[in-house]
Amino acid sequence: MTACAIEGGSAGAAATADPEAEPEPGEPKEPEEAGKAEEAEEAEASSTGADARPDTDAPPPPGGFTLTADGAYAARLTAAPGPPGARSWYPERWTLDGPEPYAVPLPLDQPEEPDSEVAPLADGRVLIRRRVADRQMFSLLYPTGPGTGELLLGAVGCAEMTLLPPSPDGRCVYALAAGEDHASLWLVAGGAFGPEEVARIPGRCSGGVWLDRAGRMLALDRQEPGGGPVKAVAVDLGRQGEVTPLLQIAPGSDDRLLLADPDSGLLLLRSDAPGHDRLGWGVLGSCLPVRFPECLRLADAAVTPFAVQPGQMLMPESCAVALRIDGAPGSWVGVWRPAGRQLHQFAAPLGWMQGAGYWSRDGVLHLPYANGATPCGVALVGAPEDVESSRPTGSTGGGEGGGEPSAADAAPVVCKPVPLGQAPLHGAARPD
């Protein structure tokens, strides 16, 4: 695997270990464009007109809709109007931290391939990964007057690569190249000399969840080179990619990390330790067992967490968690707290960027969407309060209203820590 740097200049400041690191106040959005970038963005956002609106009937590209860690910016590939099979894809950046959200198209002279990936940075630029033959090309895009500026970063000699979620520091983006016996982790934006390999992890790796605010600790789902179960591991980028175990629920179980909140330590995971694949939660560094709530187990729908309420220091059970629910009717939104043991369900806004959203610290869920009437919008959903069940103690329940049923129908719910060997497996014997 090889890499070559096309542009010798820095693509942004390097990551630091300061958990409160922010972009430098005077850092320009792009050389030669400082002082007029915002005016250009506003002009482009208002002058695109109806012809530049995204085709909301187009299927979403594989890259999806990616948010910065603070929810200030987002990026996606979108399709210009055209007949099916002849769509022209181009990147689009959303600005979400102002009084009103707006989108800025970032097209170049040549349309993008639908398998390209984009990721926003905290300074408003957008990283794009393109596959050209057996190489991966990386560039930074930014609005400049009536057009789009492009800063070439470099290339990596690799046939397949996947962008990881943007680093919490807002300045770095990493990519994962998975091989048969090892995975390579690359810093593709934020380094000093173009893409650089920062770690090699033995085994087959996937996923990618940040565990801290500094962008140093990364969780990956790894299968050992010789095979066996998939286990989430922590990769310390401050120690040359040192790998330590993160999830070990049962010896033979597949334990994958889906989401983590650095403030509270809340972890959302998926494991088959209870006997079949279940969504569960735990706390980073805690000795308490992993829990697998019954209210998150829906008979005819898949439930996937996508956002955790930040700012709940040392209070993991009070964090509101947003979940995407996929069933036969389509996709909708769920909200759940570990302490409440209730799953609240809501209809998603028309044109929701499925599986995308972010919480404010005061418990308001922001859901980005685009449709024919609103090319760039954000719907707000307040986190509902959990209500205790009013049914008499001893009556049979089955979890009506989204509550978590007790282990025995004739007894009230008892929430006390039990040994790990009993916690996930005892619930597997309950009747649904």
Side-chain angles (χ1 to χ4, degrees):
M1 188 176 299
T2 60
C4 63
I6 295 178
E7 191 77 18
S10 171
T16 70
D18 180 5
E20 300 299 329
E22 296 290 340
E24 292 296 329
E27 180 176 299
K29 294 202 171 200
E30 183 58 37
E32 303 177 3
E33 297 301 327
K36 63 180 182 179
E38 290 299 328
E39 290 82 353
E41 294 170 14
E42 295 283 0
E44 283 202 60
S46 60
S47 65
T48 51
D51 291 341
R53 287 188 178 183
D55 186 351
T56 53
D57 294 329
F65 187 89
T66 305
L67 288 152
T68 55
D70 60 1
Y73 290 106
R76 66 166 180 162
L77 284 183
T78 189
R87 303 186 189 275
S88 296
W89 297 95
Y90 63 90
E92 183 179 71
R93 196 207 66 197
W94 289 32
T95 299
L96 304 173
D97 61 348
E100 186 172 332
Y102 65 91
V104 177
L106 297 172
L108 293 171
D109 295 336
Q110 184 173 342
E112 306 292 345
E113 294 295 328
D115 63 350
S116 299
E117 290 183 298
V118 292
L121 301 182
D123 62 5
R125 294 180 294 179
V126 173
L127 174 79
I128 183 167
R129 177 200 61 79
R130 304 181 180 100
R131 183 172 61 180
V132 180
D134 59 348
R135 305 175 74 187
Q136 307 294 323
M137 304 289 294
F138 298 93
S139 296
L140 288 174
L141 307 178
Y142 55 95
T144 170
T148 301
E150 181 176 19
L151 175 66
L152 302 179
L153 297 179
V156 176
C158 177
E160 298 292 338
M161 221 172 194
T162 303
L163 291 184
L164 298 181
S167 171
D169 67 5
R171 293 171 289 183
C172 298
V173 180
Y174 293 83
L176 187 68
E180 288 297 326
D181 57 354
H182 75 276
S184 294
L185 185 64
W186 289 77
L187 175 62
V188 296
F193 304 104
E196 57 180 302
E197 188 178 25
V198 295
R200 286 201 173 196
I201 301 104
R204 297 177 61 89
C205 294
S206 59
V209 176
W210 292 103
L211 300 174
D212 65 346
R213 294 287 181 199
R216 171 174 171 171
M217 300 300 297
L218 175 68
L220 295 173
D221 300 327
R222 183 183 71 160
Q223 184 180 45
E224 294 283 357
V230 177
K231 300 288 184 182
V233 297
V235 180
D236 189 343
L237 301 181
R239 291 178 174 266
Q240 292 76 48
E242 180 180 271
V243 177
T244 55
L246 182 63
L247 293 179
Q248 298 281 348
I249 301 178
S253 61
D254 289 331
D255 308 323
R256 294 177 170 87
L257 185 64
L258 305 180
L259 209 58
D261 175 51
D263 295 336
S264 64
L266 180 64
L267 303 179
L268 281 301
L269 57 98
R270 192 174 297 280
S271 173
D272 57 6
H276 50 276
D277 210 37
R278 292 283 296 274
L279 186 62
W281 69 278
V283 180
L284 187 64
S286 173
C287 295
L288 296 179
V290 170
R291 312 293 179 88
F292 295 90
E294 282 293 320
C295 67
L296 300 184
R297 184 185 180 192
L298 303 183
D300 300 316
V303 180
T304 306
F306 63 86
V308 180
Q309 180 185 358
Q312 308 301 295
M313 302 298 293
L314 305 179
M315 297 190 297
E317 294 192 358
S318 67
C319 291
V321 179
L323 307 110
R324 171 180 168 177
I325 306 174
D326 297 300
S331 298
W332 60 100
V333 181
V335 174
W336 163 83
R337 289 186 184 89
R341 305 191 306 278
Q342 290 181 307
L343 177 61
H344 307 270
Q345 302 183 47
F346 305 91
L350 179 64
W352 176 42
M353 304 299 170
Q354 295 179 2
Y358 60 97
W359 287 98
S360 65
R361 288 177 176 265
D362 55 355
V364 177
L365 178 62
H366 296 64
L367 299 174
Y369 69 94
N371 54 46
T374 307
C376 176
V378 176
L380 305 181
V381 177
E385 295 295 329
D386 295 310
V387 180
E388 292 293 333
S389 175
S390 60
R391 62 183 178 88
T393 300
S395 63
T396 58
E400 292 88 355
E404 182 178 0
S406 61
D409 286 336
V413 174
V414 177
C415 295
K416 63 179 182 178
V418 293
L420 177 60
Q422 300 174 25
L425 302 179
H426 181 68
R430 296 180 193 162
D432 293 338

